Amino acid sequence: MSDSDAMTVFDRALVRRRRDRAAPGFHGHSFLVEEVAERLVDRLHDVRQGFTTALDLGCHRGELGRRLLAAGKGVETLASCDLSERMARHAPGLRLAADEEALPFAPGSFDLVVSALSLHWVNDLPGALIQLRRALRPDGLFVGAMLGGETLFELRRCLMEAELEIRGGVSPRVSPFAELRDAGSLLQRAGFALPVVDGDEITVTYENAFRLMAELRGMGETNAGLNRPRTPATRGLLTAAAQRYAELHAAPDGRIEATFQVVWMLGWTPHESQQKPLARGSAQHSLAQTLGTLEGKPPAGSA
Amino acid sequence: MTEPGRTEDQATPPSGARVDPKLLEILVCPLTKGPLRYDAEHQELISDRAHLAYPIRDGVPIMLVDEARRLDGEARDARP
């Protein structure tokens, strides 16, 4: 890749091909996206206001969009976009193919932008957040969920240890994910007001590590990092990793556990109605008055 | 003409499906954020500033620079 630089972590063309390939059978592997979509719509119920126009960014086959339309939040117009045309064709509303890194929406097009498990494939997340903030009207809401850095730590560890043992070296076989601790400042830098960031963990059990890896392929979520190994993992390596996985991360019923960390980002586009700190020097009462002490004199007992 | 793996899905709407005018109102060129012209005959959205024509396939705009046709005199489908 000639165009790779520090900002370019993911091969976007490969992300698109993976999603295209996953699209026809995605409904068989949509458990995680459906679960996150459910939680996202729950969060919207905590917000009093309704939203007339909404965008589902990275919509997969419309798992989130359909729930949003049924949620009674007043959405009359829903646009559903995905990097993969084949995914977007199954989504509800106004469908289109679009790249999160180069959004094709006029300023102020939406009251609400939601995104379930797509933004972790974006190279330039700050740039994407700025673009989607601009696509929102003032006092518009963005709620996004993406996979965070703790995701698949079990698989990562087992592959790494197995590869160390067999080859004496390691290569990154699981994609890097965004860190929870970065998300808040990203939102703020992108110009969102009242940002809220938190993390959720979803533990899913599978029969074995091979089933987990098949699920990841079915979701279109296999590694698309530019530094991914160019040689596929050998059967021997995968078997060793799967054995290790079964030993270290077994659920009580003998299945294996896989952790997905979901990083939630919520922010509003600035509007004068929102609470904000008062201007410096605009206080009507002195702090001393409030504390019941005399100004200029230290309270008795302090030395 | 199309790359492998991009054949039509079963759930594809019948060909001739038109893009929703509501969508045309909010779309801009992803590269320049400038306005787009709707070419109904060729089912394309044209960005004069970027010299690109974005295809509309069965009513679904494909707003990807990689998929756009360049307007600098190159023949249609000349891009890989």
Side-chain angles (χ1 to χ4, degrees):
Chain A
M1 282 287 146
S2 55
D3 61 343
S4 65
D5 54 49
M7 289 293 290
T8 309
V9 179
F10 301 115
D11 181 341
R12 294 285 291 173
L14 182 61
V15 172
R16 187 168 144 222
R17 283 203 301 279
R18 293 249 161 95
R19 282 173 101 92
D20 271 346
R21 219 171 289 157
F26 185 72
H27 48 288
H29 300 281
S30 59
F31 166 79
L32 194 65
V33 170
E34 310 245 10
E35 176 64 29
V36 169
E38 199 79 33
R39 294 183 186 198
L40 199 156
V41 170
D42 272 353
R43 283 177 181 237
L44 288 180
H45 285 306
D46 298 337
V47 178
R48 239 180 312 137
Q49 75 195 67
F51 306 95
T52 312
T53 50
L55 169 69
D56 181 2
L57 180 67
C59 61
H60 298 91
R61 288 175 51 130
E63 291 74 16
L64 174 57
R66 272 184 286 275
R67 282 177 173 80
L68 187 60
L69 287 173
K73 295 303 287 182
V75 176
E76 286 166 18
T77 305
L78 170 71
S80 296
C81 73
D82 200 282
L83 187 58
S84 159
E85 171 189 348
R86 299 181 82 189
M87 285 280 194
R89 279 192 181 279
H90 297 273
L94 308 171
R95 297 166 302 181
L96 68 151
D99 187 339
E100 289 89 349
E101 296 186 357
L103 291 180
F105 303 108
S109 293
F110 305 106
D111 302 312
L112 174 70
V113 174
V114 291
S115 179
L117 303 191
S118 287
L119 285 171
H120 54 276
W121 288 120
V122 168
N123 284 309
D124 179 13
L125 188 55
L129 290 175
I130 289 169
Q131 291 185 51
L132 65 87
R133 197 248 304 144
R134 289 191 182 134
L136 280 163
R137 292 194 190 105
D139 212 22
L141 176 65
F142 162 62
V143 186
M146 57 181 183
L147 290 177
E150 298 298 310
T151 298
L152 297 174
F153 75 88
E154 305 95 340
L155 179 64
R156 217 183 287 262
R157 173 184 168 186
C158 294
L159 280 169
M160 196 183 80
E161 289 174 358
E163 194 162 16
L164 255 179
E165 202 173 280
I166 294 172
R167 297 194 187 171
V170 293
S171 34
R173 295 196 178 273
V174 179
S175 265
F177 295 105
E179 295 296 334
L180 178 58
R181 61 175 179 271
D182 301 331
S185 64
L186 284 180
L187 276 176
Q188 233 154 4
R189 274 194 285 156
F192 282 99
L194 314 170
V196 176
V197 166
D198 56 78
D200 243 359
E201 267 183 17
I202 301 177
T203 304
V204 188
T205 66
Y206 295 92
E207 208 179 308
N208 54 50
F210 290 107
R211 296 306 285 252
L212 165 61
M213 288 185 270
E215 174 100 325
L216 295 173
R217 262 193 307 281
M219 291 165 72
E221 292 287 331
T222 40
N223 192 358
L226 279 171
N227 65 348
R228 69 190 183 280
R230 298 293 147 156
T231 50
T234 60
R235 190 80 193 166
L237 170 60
L238 293 180
T239 306
Q243 264 167 13
R244 202 172 287 262
Y245 205 130
E247 283 160 22
L248 296 173
H249 306 288
D253 61 359
R255 290 162 69 89
I256 57 146
E257 289 183 335
T259 301
F260 294 90
Q261 184 194 28
V262 181
V263 173
W264 291 94
M265 293 183 290
L266 191 150
W268 296 84
T269 42
H271 186 258
E272 55 194 16
S273 69
Q274 290 160 358
Q275 49 176 321
K276 46 177 96 55
L278 294 171
R280 278 176 74 95
S282 64
Q284 300 294 307
H285 302 280
S286 74
L287 185 62
Q289 247 175 343
T290 309
L291 294 175
T293 55
L294 288 169
E295 222 158 332
K297 264 192 198 169
S302 74
Chain B
M1 167 185 132
T2 49
E3 61 182 278
R6 301 194 56 73
T7 48
E8 300 302 339
D9 281 353
Q10 293 157 338
T12 301
S15 61
R18 288 281 150 144
V19 63
D20 193 312
K22 266 193 276 183
L23 189 50
L24 295 181
E25 277 170 32
I26 57 172
L27 287 183
V28 295
C29 172
L31 212 57
T32 65
K33 311 292 184 201
L36 295 164
R37 274 191 299 119
Y38 175 42
D39 180 340
E41 193 194 334
H42 297 106
Q43 285 296 293
E44 282 181 332
L45 290 167
I46 293 154
S47 170
D48 290 312
R49 223 179 289 169
H51 302 285
L52 290 172
Y54 299 92
I56 300 172
R57 293 203 272 262
D58 289 315
V60 176
I62 313 299
M63 304 309 293
L64 305 171
V65 174
D66 286 353
E67 291 281 305
R69 181 172 68 88
R70 287 170 64 178
L71 295 177
D72 48 13
E74 246 177 87
R76 193 184 269 255
D77 301 327
R79 283 162 61 82

